[in-house]
Amino acid sequence: MLSRALCGTGRQLAPALGYLGSRQKHSLPDLPYDYGALEPHINAQIMQLHHSKHHAAYVNNLNDTEEKYKEALAKEMEFHHVGQSGPELLISSDLPTLASQSAGISGDVTAQIALQPALKFNGGGHINHSIFWTNLSPDGGGEPKGELLEAIKRDFGSFDKFKEKLTAASVGVQGSGWGWLGFNKERGHLQIAACPNQDPLQGTTGLIPLLGIDVWEHAYYLQYKNVRPDYLKAIWNVINWENVTERYMACKK
Amino acid sequence: MLSRALCGTGRQLAPALGYLGSRQKHSLPDLPYDYGALEPHINAQIMQLHHSKHHAAYVNNLNDTEEKYKEALAKGDVTAQIALQPALKFNGGGHINHSIFWTNLSPDGGGEPKGELLEAIKRDFGSFDKFKEKLTAASVGVQGSGWGWLGFNKERGHLQIAACPNQDPLQGTTGLIPLLGIDVWEHAYYLQYKNVRPDYLKAIWNVINWENVTERYMACKK
């Protein structure tokens, strides 16, 4: 299940459903602006493919994976009894008693573990992109204000130094991944991190995601080709500092 | 240093240099065909960017990394050597992988292999079609950037399909000898196929250079 982050997006549970264990599937969130709204910094073709194809696939595959995971959780494995083996197990009248003493394993653990990569990949993809769309805005750009700006100055020296560091971390990702501005709750400070593939920041590092930069090639290639640094230069023009600030304020509590 | 694979491409050492320890830098190999030669299966724009920008960058960065590594070695600085490992694997792997890849493709490619390679494929996968399905699935299924591979397991004397993440080179990380690689980094197909990686896979079978794959196989089998 998509664990509800301390701050940031959570999955909507439908209270009206009421059945224990029943839940709504994950769904593709609407983009808060038109596909062309971030031009010329990120073009409409990229935004349309990125949202309606890539993110949509993560959502669908996440739902499929969670279905399979539910089945694996529910499945009962054969019990292993000391002194018994094979078909005897299944017809033994002592089964209920022995079961409680047995080293039996309920739930198909192997299947659950086999599903982990798909859950991390598609679940992470859904989390990451849901945050990303809100981190961008046609009215974005410039610098943050108030408490977030103060924290940035405190933890990085200046806004420009922060910008350099996050840019370098994002450009430097080898292969597919994300650059992140995150909040370290334990230490109470901002931190820059990079994650590979769709590994979600909070799930893998504990940092609370504030601002993510998608550096998978699909995020920029149609417009910037191999020149990832040009994409990074451009994206600073559409960063939604209001949203990043909201996320920061929610963490600081 | 680019370790010379048991079979496949090796780096040319210039015997004329003669100095102990001196060596030529790595260089971008020429593409054996024009950028547009693999159309309509892989378009010219992709081939040009892929070869002259992406592969070229791996070569340049590999040379830089090896320079730094040489310095660290000379100083006996183990920490610095270890810190350089990711860059060496990434850029070195990128250079190895792409050097193999260009030879694995040909405008005269496609169809099926013949002779010993075909027999080995039938023996190890059941049929050519089953092999094609497996390598396609392995390549499509790579999460993120990486490569699908047909490799040769020298220990067991059989063919094997594998997938590697990022630019991890097949032989260096698994011991399998690379015969045929399928680049599934998005830069390998996105401009033409967008998010539909399976369509790229369908198309690439039309330009596989089975002569080259067979050469690599025969060199391994010895």
Side-chain angles (χ1 to χ4, degrees):
Chain A
M1 282 182 19
L2 193 68
S3 60
R4 191 167 282 148
L6 279 166
C7 35
T9 60
R11 189 165 39 82
Q12 301 293 329
L13 290 169
L17 277 177
Y19 298 104
L20 197 66
S22 99
R23 58 168 189 81
Q24 277 182 333
K25 289 182 168 199
H26 302 282
S27 59
L28 180 67
D30 287 331
L31 213 59
Y33 35 78
D34 289 342
Y35 286 134
L38 305 183
E39 299 222 346
H41 310 293
I42 306 177
N43 73 25
Q45 190 187 22
I46 287 177
M47 292 305 289
Q48 177 162 17
L49 283 163
H50 204 173
H51 178 257
S52 71
K53 300 289 181 186
H54 289 274
H55 189 175
Y58 291 127
V59 171
N60 295 335
N61 294 334
L62 174 60
N63 285 327
D64 286 348
T65 304
E66 283 191 344
E67 273 309 306
K68 293 186 181 128
Y69 203 97
K70 237 175 26 175
E71 288 167 23
L73 265 172
K75 233 180 7 162
E76 297 293 332
M77 283 282 280
E78 32 197 285
F79 291 103
H80 300 275
H81 295 274
V82 175
Q84 283 189 310
S85 65
E88 306 170 75
L89 291 177
L90 301 175
I91 57 173
S92 165
S93 56
D94 290 329
L95 196 60
T97 316
L98 285 168
S100 65
Q101 300 166 355
S102 79
I105 302 167
S106 69
D108 189 341
V109 175
T110 299
Q112 288 177 63
I113 293 173
L115 288 167
Q116 281 185 344
L119 197 98
K120 181 153 88 165
F121 185 64
N122 294 294
H126 180 37
I127 293 172
N128 294 338
H129 289 86
S130 299
I131 295 171
F132 191 47
W133 309 135
T134 70
N135 282 162
L136 306 174
S137 164
D139 309 314
E143 297 190 10
K145 303 190 292 281
E147 287 201 51
L148 178 58
L149 181 60
E150 291 318 301
I152 285 175
K153 286 176 175 172
R154 178 198 68 209
D155 295 332
F156 301 106
S158 69
F159 177 75
D160 282 340
K161 287 203 188 125
F162 150 73
K163 206 172 143 179
E164 261 179 60
K165 285 200 80 175
L166 182 52
T167 296
S170 305
V171 167
V173 170
Q174 290 181 345
S176 306
W178 291 71
W180 288 100
L181 171 65
F183 183 69
N184 184 326
K185 247 182 121 70
E186 236 176 274
R187 307 234 173 153
H189 65 202
L190 297 169
Q191 226 174 286
I192 281 165
C195 294
N197 298 328
Q198 293 297 352
D199 289 11
L201 184 70
Q202 188 169 1
T204 59
T205 73
L207 295 174
I208 312 295
L210 305 182
L211 168 61
I213 311 276
D214 188 349
V215 288
W216 278 64
E217 286 172 330
H218 64 239
Y220 62 88
Y221 207 87
L222 291 176
Q223 187 171 356
Y224 295 100
K225 309 297 186 298
N226 59 302
V227 194
R228 193 188 282 179
D230 282 357
Y231 160 65
L232 258 297
K233 275 204 212 91
I235 202 169
W236 289 104
N237 292 296
V238 289
I239 302 298
N240 181 355
W241 289 113
E242 266 181 49
N243 176 264
V244 183
T245 303
E246 259 175 56
R247 292 176 179 280
Y248 174 62
M249 298 309 285
C251 291
K252 267 184 0 93
K253 294 184 205 139
Chain B
M1 281 180 23
L2 194 69
S3 61
R4 191 168 283 148
L6 278 166
C7 35
T9 60
R11 189 163 41 82
Q12 301 294 330
L13 290 169
L17 279 176
Y19 297 106
L20 197 67
S22 98
R23 59 167 188 78
Q24 277 183 332
K25 288 181 166 199
H26 303 283
S27 60
L28 180 68
D30 287 331
L31 213 59
Y33 34 78
D34 289 341
Y35 287 134
L38 305 183
E39 301 223 346
H41 309 293
I42 305 178
N43 73 25
Q45 191 187 23
I46 288 178
M47 292 304 290
Q48 178 163 14
L49 284 163
H50 205 173
H51 177 257
S52 71
K53 302 287 181 188
H54 290 274
H55 189 175
Y58 291 127
V59 172
N60 295 335
N61 294 335
L62 174 60
N63 285 328
D64 287 349
T65 304
E66 282 190 346
E67 273 310 304
K68 293 187 181 130
Y69 202 97
K70 235 174 31 172
E71 289 166 22
L73 254 176
K75 283 196 240 158
D77 189 343
V78 176
T79 297
Q81 287 179 65
I82 292 172
L84 287 166
Q85 282 185 344
L88 198 100
K89 181 153 87 165
F90 186 64
N91 294 293
H95 180 37
I96 293 171
N97 294 338
H98 289 87
S99 298
I100 296 171
F101 191 46
W102 309 135
T103 69
N104 282 164
L105 307 175
S106 165
D108 309 313
E112 298 189 10
K114 304 191 292 281
E116 288 201 51
L117 178 57
L118 181 60
E119 290 319 300
I121 286 175
K122 287 177 175 170
R123 178 198 67 210
D124 295 331
F125 300 107
S127 69
F128 177 75
D129 281 342
K130 288 202 189 122
F131 150 71
K132 205 172 144 178
E133 260 179 60
K134 284 200 81 175
L135 181 52
T136 296
S139 305
V140 167
V142 169
Q143 290 180 344
S145 305
W147 291 71
W149 287 101
L150 171 65
F152 183 69
N153 185 327
K154 246 183 122 73
E155 238 176 273
R156 306 234 175 155
H158 65 202
L159 297 169
Q160 224 172 287
I161 280 165
C164 294
N166 299 327
Q167 293 296 353
D168 289 10
L170 184 70
Q171 189 169 1
T173 59
T174 72
L176 296 173
I177 313 293
L179 304 182
L180 167 61
I182 311 276
D183 189 349
V184 289
W185 278 63
E186 285 173 329
H187 65 239
Y189 62 89
Y190 207 87
L191 292 176
Q192 186 171 355
Y193 295 100
K194 310 297 186 298
N195 59 302
V196 194
R197 193 188 282 178
D199 281 358
Y200 160 65
L201 258 297
K202 274 202 213 93
I204 204 169
W205 289 105
N206 292 296
V207 289
I208 303 299
N209 181 355
W210 289 113
E211 266 181 49
N212 176 263
V213 183
T214 302
E215 260 176 55
R216 293 177 179 279
Y217 175 63
M218 298 310 286
C220 292
K221 265 183 2 87
K222 293 182 203 141

